[in-house]
Amino acid sequence: MDVLSVMQSNEPYVSGYANFPRELSRRAKKLCWAYNQTSPDEEEKRRGILQQLFGTCHPLTGIEPDFHCDYGFNIHTHGLTVINYNCSILDTSPVNIGAGAFIAPNVCLACSGHALDGEQRARGIGTSAPITLEENVWIGASAVILGGVTIGAGSVIGAGSVVNRDIPAGVIAAGVPCRVLRKVTEKDRVDEGKLAF
């Protein structure tokens, strides 16, 4: 298999830093830089840049600058996606973001990791595994989602959490490491009769 096939597969892998496609990384950095220089009223320009950058970009994808990613081609949005300020996605493996995703400020989705052995790490040996956010997931501010994690539909990840294992659907989870606190229930519904506007 060639490098891109490995990177685009849904299988975890081990790699050497020197073998990553640097030209694709440079392309992503340029597109991120261009995106981050846009004015808030340049919505069409922003959409155009995201269409070039992402592997799949649903028209209802909105991202507040600053935004950074490693490659872009491995990021796939599948419906309404709201990404707030200062998000970083290290997409050395596929990142699939389901419809209805809300990602708060300062979130990091990190497919990539480094070897735990210091000598291997110094030689640029790393790891990578995909990340999946199913439909209607909300990731709280400053959370970190690590490679190999799937977050189930309708789940909420608390601010500041480090998610290093799968989270089931329909739960509230938080902490370092992140763990399930409880299910989302009818009691969590907001009283829409009290809408202020």
Side-chain angles (χ1 to χ4, degrees), residues 34-102:
Y35 189 87
N36 293 331
Q37 305 310 306
T38 59
S39 167
D41 59 1
E42 293 182 296
E43 293 177 14
E44 287 301 317
K45 184 174 183 179
R46 285 183 175 183
R47 268 195 284 281
I49 294 170
L50 291 179
Q51 290 292 331
Q52 292 177 66
L53 181 61
F54 287 2
T56 309
C57 186
H58 191 277
L60 294 178
T61 299
I63 302 176
E64 291 292 341
D66 276 359
F67 174 76
H68 301 277
C69 66
D70 281 338
Y71 295 97
F73 67 78
N74 254 344
I75 300 171
H76 307 277
T77 62
H78 301 285
L80 172 67
T81 301
V82 178
I83 300 177
N84 219 316
Y85 307 102
N86 301 319
C87 179
S88 297
I89 301 180
L90 309 182
D91 60 316
T92 51
S93 287
V95 175
N96 281 285
I97 301 173
F102 281 70

Side-chain angles (χ1 to χ4, degrees), residues 102-159:
F102 281 70
I103 298 175
N106 301 311
V107 167
C108 179
L109 283 73
C111 293
S112 60
H114 300 286
L116 295 177
D117 178 83
E119 183 270 329
Q120 288 183 316
R121 190 169 54 251
R123 288 192 290 116
I125 303 298
T127 61
S128 187
I131 292 172
T132 300
L133 308 183
E134 294 182 349
E135 291 187 357
N136 298 315
V137 165
W138 175 21
I139 309 295
S142 299
V144 177
I145 315 301
L146 299 179
V149 165
T150 295
I151 298 175
S155 285
V156 176
I157 305 299

